[in-house]
Amino acid sequence: LPLGERLERRIVDGERQGLEADLDEALRARPALEIINDTLLAGMKTVGELFGSGQMQLPFVLQSAEVMKTAVAHLEPHMEKSDADGKGTIVLATVKGDVHDIGKNLVDIILSNNGYNVVNIGIKQPVSAILDAAEEHKADVIGMSGLLVKSTVIMKENLEELNQRGLATGYPVILGGAALTRAYVEEDLYDIYAGEVRYARDAFEGLRL
Ligand code: B1M
């Protein structure tokens, strides 16, 4: 197979052997971010489709996710970094009940490489932990990620909690993850949140916001 297709296959098949050599070869021709966006994410998309249609079982999805993480970790040192520092602090979390963190960790990498201080507190984080971290690190922004449909409801509850605690105006919120839609965030949630809430379709939109 040509290199790009081979790498995509490695994600789909959860095949780690030879991964790093292929990535190094790809890096000689293309920037790291392009490899992630055009090739590796295409593989994850296929995994999602296969799983969704019952053609792939969960342990294999997990293997694919592990290979994806290894690939991103291998590429990360090769990513462009801006010299600017201290642009602001964002607390980043996957919301309560949700373990998906590949997208969140990509957001972490992209923001960190572009001069933001990212406090990534991990997966399955209740709103209290997110708010504690925001307070402790004097965050300028809170970022929440979630891929499950039920996470979109949790995000709404989290915003309501910020309202109730009178913290909404202090914390603009960025939301991302595959189960969200722009309309849900920027129309429905916009109406209930007393602060600013925005939807980021991908890590770059997160950076722009
Ligand atoms: Co899960 N899973 N999964 N899974 N999984 C989905 C989300 C699903 C859509 C698959 C499917 O059915 N087709 C489905 C959800 C269905 C639903 O809710 N209606 C699903 C399910 C059902 C489940 C379980 C319930 C399965 C089970 O146990 N029976 C279970 C849930 C466990 C839990 O959370 N409590 C589960 C478990 C897992 C694994 C552990 C095996 C693994 C996760 C491993 C890990 O993350 N460490 C996994 C995976 C890999 C997936 C799919 C296949 C791929 C997700 C992924 O990593 N994509 C996924 C299918 C899909 O998404 N279509 C699926 C690549 C990643 C880069 O994209 O995270 O969307 P994403 O991030 C993007 C943007 O969304 C955005 O930027 C990124 C790209 O630039 N973004 C942000 C994300 N967060 C952001 C935050 C921002 C800004 C942008 O600012 C704050």
Side-chain angles (χ1 to χ4, degrees), residues 37 41 44-45 47-49 51-53 58-59 61-66 68-69 90 92-93 97-104 106-107 123-124 142-150 174-179 199-206:
N37 282 333
L41 286 184
M44 283 312 291
K45 186 164 176 273
V47 171
E49 285 161 6
F51 180 59
S53 64
L58 200 62
V61 179
L62 193 54
Q63 267 181 31
S64 294
E66 290 304 321
M68 177 76 191
K69 285 187 168 193
I90 179 167
L92 207 54
D98 195 323
V99 304
H100 297 89
D101 66 353
I102 295 175
K104 167 181 68 64
L106 274 179
V107 173
I123 58 171
K124 297 207 268 187
I142 290 174
M144 294 188 250
S145 179
L147 267 70
L148 302 172
V149 169
K150 73 171 188 211
I174 301 176
L175 301 178
Y199 169 71
R201 195 180 65 87
D202 55 28
F204 293 100
E205 190 169 6

